[in-house]
């Protein structure tokens, strides 16, 4: 009998057993020598939690409010292309699993399932759309209109990808999507090589004027994803964004940029509550979420582990991954004497040597 998966690492192993090597490499890989990719996870190994004892915190309140909506916990699913590569149900399974737990999903521009069916599956849980800006802005505008009509609640503009990073695993594998894997919310073709398609179609000249442009075509809140420094965070606030996602794209863009957990404190200090600050990259345990909040984030988004759950068991697998994170977060809150997210203050963490 197979042992049940108890950690996100268990799900990672289960997924690897099931996936073909080039697809695994596309999911897992990062840019260049993958130093930043590794640093994202390693940064959490330097965190030391400082519990407060004899402050009963059983059944801690994990709920949080982001952009006026209550999330069951400060945990969401980061946008990732082509969940259909991991499981035929793709994003439908992901959204169902997250929504059943009161958690939000950000759907990628390159989602493999239609945003209308995803919005229906979200059944009232928040659903956001991630945007890549195309050279042909009418493509982006049509995508926004479609998602808005379907019920998407916010737009997440990815700002760290004027060109796609050098993902050497994909280059070596000459990675191609199988013909049946296509972005369900985009028209046209030429999608088989994600790298070549991105190079040809995404707008390399995107600048801050994208934010007022988005405002002119939609009334949805706009977040920017991919900010790593305080000056850029301040520019984002000046541009009037509704939220900032501290992200290095899971180490897939520029190798050599810092781990997101390292970048977070200066950004949170600069933003000073002007808008929500979210983070993604390397979050693999419930207590990692606690560390993100202590260092200034309002919520944390999880990427690859969701694809691992999906590959291992479809909707149930994603549910399993999210349940582990939720239970580990409750565990960490109870054992640190943290009754609600308001109790999570910078003093909860110190930095030490990696475990
Ligand atoms: C397979 C894969 C596809 C991704 N696709 C997108 C995408 O379409 N748009 C985007 O903004 N970020 C994309 N990302 C980056 C994630 O949103 C996120 O920043 C990153 O995966 C978080 O790190 P983690 O995987 O360590 O949790 C992708 C990441 C992976 C692993
Ligand atoms: C299809 C790609 C542009 C999406 C992706 O792999 C990424 O954004 O990391």
């Amino acid at each position: 009998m197979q042992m049940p998966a108890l950690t996100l690492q268990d799900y990672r192993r289960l997924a690897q057993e099931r996936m073909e090597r080039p697809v695994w490499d596309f999911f897992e890989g990062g840019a260049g020598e993958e130093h930043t990719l590794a640093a994202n996870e390693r940064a959490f190994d330097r965190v030391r939690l400082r519990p407060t004892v004899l402050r009963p915190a059983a059944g801690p309140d994990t709920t949080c409010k982001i952009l006026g909506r209550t999330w069951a916990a400060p945990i969401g699913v980061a946008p990732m292309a082509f969940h259909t590569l991991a499981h035929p149900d793709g994003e439908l399974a992901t959204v169902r699993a997250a929504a059943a737990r009161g958690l939000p999903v950000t759907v990628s521009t390159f989602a493999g399932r239609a945003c209308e069916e995803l919005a229906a599956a979200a059944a009232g849980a928040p659903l956001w759309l991630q945007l890549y800006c195309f050279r042909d802005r009418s493509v982006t505008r049509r995508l926004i209109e479609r998602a808005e009509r379907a019920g998407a609640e916010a737009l997440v503009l990815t700002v760290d990808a004027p060109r796609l990073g050098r993902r050497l695993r994909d280059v070596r594998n000459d990675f191609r999507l199988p013909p049946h894997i296509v972005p369900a919310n985009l028209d046209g073709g030429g999608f088989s090589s994600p790298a070549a398609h991105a190079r040809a179609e995404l707008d390399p000249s995107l600048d801050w004027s994208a934010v007022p442009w988005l405002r002119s075509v939609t009334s949805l809140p706009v977040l920017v994803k991919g900010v790593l420094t305080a000056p850029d965070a301040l520019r984002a606030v000046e541009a009037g964004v509704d939220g900032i996602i501290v992200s290095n794209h899971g180490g897939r863009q520029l190798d050599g940029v810092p781990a997101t957990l390292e970048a977070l404190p200066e950004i949170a200090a600069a933003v000073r509550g002007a808008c929500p600050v979210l983070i993604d990259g390397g979050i693999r345990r419930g207590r990692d979420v606690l560390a993100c909040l202590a260092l200034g984030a309002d919520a944390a988004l999880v990427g690859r582990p969701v694809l691992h759950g999906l590959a291992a068991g479809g909707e149930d697998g994603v549910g399993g991954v999210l349940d582990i994170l939720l239970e580990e977060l409750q565990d960490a809150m109870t054992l640190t004497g943290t009754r609600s997210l308001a109790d999570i203050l910078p003093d909860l963490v110190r930095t030490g040597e990696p475990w």
Side-chain angles (χ1 to χ4, degrees):
M1 198 182 79
Q2 196 163 37
M3 294 290 285
L6 298 179
T7 66
L8 268 49
Q9 192 55 30
D10 290 342
Y11 272 105
R12 183 173 186 273
R13 273 190 295 270
L14 287 175
Q16 186 168 16
E17 283 165 16
R18 278 157 204 241
M19 289 170 77
E20 302 207 358
R21 187 59 196 255
V23 176
W24 175 253
D25 280 344
F26 171 68
F27 280 174
E28 289 301 293
E33 293 162 84
E34 303 188 339
H35 291 307
T36 295
L37 171 66
N40 276 348
E41 286 188 27
R42 226 179 25 240
F44 289 100
D45 285 339
R46 297 170 61 89
V47 170
R48 301 290 182 276
L49 294 169
R50 292 160 37 82
T52 299
V53 296
L54 298 183
R55 183 166 64 181
D61 179 7
T62 59
T63 59
C64 69
K65 212 163 193 181
I66 305 280
L67 299 181
R69 296 277 265 130
T70 300
W71 299 8
I75 298 172
V77 178
M80 290 174 291
F82 304 121
H83 291 208
T84 39
L85 273 173
H87 190 278
D89 294 344
E91 289 81 1
L92 198 56
T94 306
V95 169
R96 281 184 181 142
R101 289 158 182 82
L103 301 177
V105 176
T106 300
V107 173
S108 165
T109 284
F110 292 101
R113 302 293 298 242
C115 52
E116 293 78 12
E117 59 175 349
L118 298 180
L127 194 74
W128 294 359
L129 171 72
Q130 175 267 333
L131 281 181
Y132 279 119
C133 253
F134 290 83
R135 291 175 197 259
D136 177 355
R137 281 286 167 94
S138 69
V139 176
T140 311
R141 208 180 51 235
R142 278 201 302 278
L143 179 63
I144 295 169
E145 284 165 3
R146 183 169 169 182
E148 199 168 0
R149 253 197 323 273
E153 294 184 13
L155 300 177
V156 173
L157 177 66
T158 297
V159 293
D160 61 7
R163 62 187 287 165
L164 216 63
R166 277 178 60 72
R167 302 168 186 179
L168 302 180
R169 299 196 207 194
D170 295 345
V171 176
R172 290 193 182 106
N173 295 333
D174 188 21
F175 179 65
R176 307 276 157 160
L177 296 168
H180 66 285
I181 303 288
V182 286
N185 301 296
L186 297 175
D187 298 327
F191 299 114
S192 90
S193 160
H197 177 266
R199 202 151 297 143
E201 302 294 337
L202 302 186
D203 183 356
S205 67
L206 199 68
D207 62 19
W208 286 105
S209 67
V211 176
W213 177 74
L214 284 172
R215 295 262 179 246
S216 74
V217 298
T218 177
S219 55
L220 292 178
V222 174
L223 298 90
V224 285
K225 169 175 178 282
V227 171
L228 287 172
T229 67
D232 269 354
L234 289 173
R235 271 177 212 115
V237 170
E238 274 163 31
V241 301
D242 298 286
I244 291 173
I245 304 181
V246 179
S247 174
N248 55 32
H249 217 112
R252 293 161 76 81
Q253 283 299 102
L254 179 60
D255 196 30
V257 300
T260 48
L261 192 70
E262 290 166 3
L264 174 63
E266 74 168 73
I267 293 170
V271 171
R272 288 166 35 137
C275 64
V277 173
L278 283 66
I279 180 173
D280 70 24
I283 292 144
R284 302 291 179 264
R285 302 171 287 228
R287 72 168 195 265
D288 297 345
V289 178
L290 203 59
C292 292
L293 267 61
L295 292 174
D298 294 286
L301 305 183
V302 181
R304 293 176 181 86
V306 169
L307 296 176
H308 299 156
L310 194 55
E315 180 183 342
D316 288 346
V318 177
V321 163
L322 296 174
D323 284 342
I324 288 170
L325 282 171
L326 290 168
E327 190 171 339
E328 289 178 344
L329 175 62
Q330 295 235 352
D331 194 47
M333 287 178 70
T334 303
L335 294 176
T336 52
T338 306
R339 285 171 293 214
S340 74
L341 304 189
D343 284 348
I344 303 177
L345 300 171
D347 208 33
L348 186 60
V349 300
R350 289 276 191 280
T351 303
E353 290 304 310
W355 298 118

